[in-house]
Amino acid sequence: MLDSCLLTMIATNNAYKIQEIRDILQTNVISPKDIGVYEFNPIETGDTFEENAMIKANTLLKAVNNLYHDKKPYFESKSKILIIADDSGICVDLLDGMPGVYSARYATLFKNNLLPLNEHNKRLLNKMLVSVSPSDEENREALKHALEQTGFLISTAAFRCCIAYIVVQIDSNRGFQEILKGEVNGICSGVVAIKECGKNGFGYDSMFYSKYDFGAFGNVELLDLDSKTEFRAFAIPKNIYGDIALQSLQESFATISLEEKNQISHRNNALLELKKKLCNILD
């Protein structure tokens, strides 16, 4: 549990993320919607998870500052506010780490022929951000097509999460005083496949398998990533061995319970790091 004098606010209105974070931190969290900010969609123009997470955290802090006097009941029994913002995505080794920070809008990239993502295409994408918001299903379909276009069915991949945090002191005379700011990261490694399993979760969960039988992967091609990952990356081509490998994948992030997922997920690993850091600093 976090300090009871600490009001925890999460920079998202995504119900799935709110529930995951509430369960992992074992504390109540306040969302933008709870303080009257129903449309909370900061423009994520960063090139890294860290940059985008901090954009969200700073946007929420600004909103809280503006609404503080109207929403005082939320803050009366608290001496500090912890603002946390998550930016996460799936990084596929075969696709040079894509979708990565573009996971939530990968379908937009794919459908508008913005890949490979050079500086010109980034500017075009950023112009579309306000009006274009692909569904989870559209993003998954785009990722499947991207894999198939390479001639592969399965690739090593990792869910990565960065959580930016800002701690402010509530001072009735001077307003909010920022006392702490930073980021923590978490990762969950596995494989991503064109095969979907399960109905739980959200995003790319039904395509991601943290548990797999390497012995069932009869014919793999090792990927040369210049030691960018902590494990040996591989992909499985589209052939009879690939079909057998697909059949062996049965337990995706979308087949397990939320409780199970919260024990191993990238978000869990990042939040555990956050709890350790805050306990050391705020005690």
Side-chain angles (χ1 to χ4, degrees), residues 8-243:
T8 303
M9 305 193 71
I10 172 76
T12 183
N13 281 327
N14 183 309
Y16 293 104
K17 284 189 178 183
I18 292 169
Q19 186 61 49
E20 280 189 14
I21 291 169
R22 182 179 289 130
D23 291 346
I24 294 168
L25 289 181
Q26 297 181 339
T27 191
N28 189 34
V29 296
I30 302 299
S31 70
K33 183 170 60 176
D34 294 325
I35 60 169
V37 183
Y38 295 96
E39 294 296 325
F40 185 79
N41 297 299
I43 304 301
E44 300 173 28
T45 55
D47 291 326
T48 65
F49 292 121
E50 290 80 5
E51 289 175 1
N52 284 334
M54 193 55 75
I55 286 171
K56 296 176 192 177
N58 283 322
T59 301
L60 181 55
L61 177 58
K62 184 176 180 180
V64 172
N65 254 316
N66 292 338
L67 294 169
Y68 174 67
H69 293 291
D70 294 332
K71 301 292 179 180
K72 268 193 174 179
Y74 279 104
F75 309 105
E76 283 178 342
S77 62
K78 306 296 181 180
S79 60
K80 299 183 186 74
I81 299 174
L82 166 64
I83 289 176
I84 58 178
D86 150 282
D87 195 54
S88 55
I90 191 163
C91 302
V92 180
D93 293 327
L94 183 65
L95 303 177
D96 296 323
M98 291 292 281
V101 295
Y102 304 101
S103 293
R105 41 204 163 128
Y106 192 57
T108 303
L109 289 172
F110 202 79
K111 291 177 180 177
N112 290 279
N113 298 314
L114 297 180
L115 296 169
L117 194 59
N118 52 36
E119 289 304 315
H120 172 70
N121 287 347
K122 280 182 187 178
R123 288 193 292 272
L124 291 177
L125 175 64
N126 288 335
K127 289 179 182 179
M128 299 176 185
L129 290 183
V130 176
S131 58
V132 179
S133 182
S135 68
D136 287 348
E137 183 179 2
E138 288 173 317
N139 283 325
R140 289 194 300 271
E141 287 302 314
L143 181 53
K144 288 180 197 175
H145 288 312
L147 288 169
E148 290 180 320
Q149 283 183 358
T150 66
F152 288 83
L153 303 176
I154 299 170
S155 171
T156 45
F159 268 125
R160 296 182 181 272
C161 172
C162 174
I163 293 178
Y165 60 90
I166 303 173
V167 181
V168 296
Q169 185 85 38
I170 301 175
D171 188 306
S172 57
N173 296 319
R174 295 184 296 169
F176 294 158
Q177 302 296 309
E178 187 178 303
I179 59 175
L180 190 63
K181 192 175 194 175
E183 301 105 10
V184 291
N185 291 278
I187 184 173
C188 181
S189 299
V191 298
V192 69
I194 64 167
K195 172 184 176 179
E196 291 192 54
C197 279
K199 301 295 183 183
N200 299 331
F202 61 102
Y204 297 90
D205 283 355
S206 58
M207 297 177 65
F208 182 77
Y209 303 80
S210 62
K211 297 179 182 178
Y212 55 90
D213 178 8
F214 187 78
F217 296 171
N219 182 27
V220 305
E221 291 192 19
L222 298 178
L223 303 176
D224 183 8
L225 299 180
D226 298 324
S227 301
K228 290 178 184 175
T229 60
E230 57 273 21
F231 60 94
R232 195 63 193 265
F234 63 85
I236 299 176
K238 190 174 182 179
N239 55 31
I240 187 171
Y241 298 105
D243 292 337

